[in-house]
Amino acid sequence: MKYYKLENQVYAFEADGSQDDYIKPEMVLMTSKEVDKHIHPEKYLTKEQKYNIYLNSLKPLTRRQFKLVLLEDNLLDELELAINSIEDKITKTRIHIEYTESTSFKRDSESTLFMCQLLNLSEEQINELWEKALAL
């Protein structure tokens, strides 16, 4: 195939020349690197982009999954104590409501991240916890 671009659009034509009549003069022949990037964009993602895709792939946990994984990792009581130890009354109440009333927990939600911070969990530990919980 021969790949051309025009105004951020990519066009592919047969390499044998049978479709050359469709190639407009304003179309630009793509380099082999541009073609590879177009066909295999995942190879060119930054570490941050790959991580964001990974985070978006983590489904929300049910309340049951969230609490069971905390229990299995001996973090359930620790989290509940940490929530009760929050000094700011509004923050404490908000996190308590989030913890006790949520039916699901999103990996990247502000309240979930706050609870994980209370447990001093690293990003890697949160991800491991999440993957484990998804299997419950």
Side-chain angles (χ1 to χ4, degrees):
M1 298 294 287
K2 297 186 284 191
Y3 292 86
Y4 286 79
K5 59 184 174 180
L6 176 66
E7 297 177 10
N8 295 322
Q9 292 288 329
V10 173
Y11 300 88
F13 302 99
E14 294 294 335
D16 64 8
S18 63
Q19 296 178 319
D20 284 358
D21 290 344
Y22 297 106
I23 301 172
K24 298 177 183 177
E26 60 270 17
M27 291 179 169
V28 178
L29 182 64
M30 295 171 65
T31 65
S32 59
K33 185 173 182 176
E34 288 174 320
V35 171
D36 190 55
K37 193 171 184 177
H38 175 72
I39 295 172
H40 307 286
E42 68 281 357
K43 289 173 29 180
Y44 298 88
L45 295 174
T46 65
K47 212 175 202 179
E48 183 179 343
Q49 289 170 322
K50 289 177 185 177
Y51 186 68
N52 287 335
I53 290 170
Y54 167 74
L55 285 182
N56 288 331
S57 75
L58 295 175
K59 296 177 183 174
L61 299 180
T62 64
R63 177 173 176 69
R64 178 189 150 277
Q65 288 171 314
F66 188 66
K67 291 192 86 171
L68 281 176
V69 79
L70 291 173
L71 178 65
E72 284 186 13
D73 284 11
N74 297 314
L75 298 171
L76 186 64
D77 291 337
E78 186 178 336
L79 179 58
E80 291 175 0
L81 287 170
I83 292 170
N84 288 327
S85 299
I86 297 171
E87 291 182 16
D88 181 69
K89 185 174 174 36
I90 293 173
T91 302
K92 178 180 182 175
T93 303
R94 184 176 61 80
I95 296 300
H96 185 265
I97 290 169
E98 291 281 356
Y99 175 70
T100 59
E101 303 299 327
S102 292
T103 57
S104 67
F105 296 84
K106 291 183 181 178
R107 164 62 180 84
D108 60 350
S109 76
E110 187 179 321
S111 60
T112 300
L113 292 174
F114 189 90
M115 286 183 255
C116 290
Q117 183 181 14
L118 289 174
L119 295 170
N120 295 314
L121 297 176
S122 67
E123 286 289 316
E124 186 176 294
Q125 289 171 314
I126 298 169
N127 293 340
E128 289 172 7
L129 190 81
W130 217 264
E131 289 177 12
K132 186 176 177 182
L134 286 170
L136 296 174

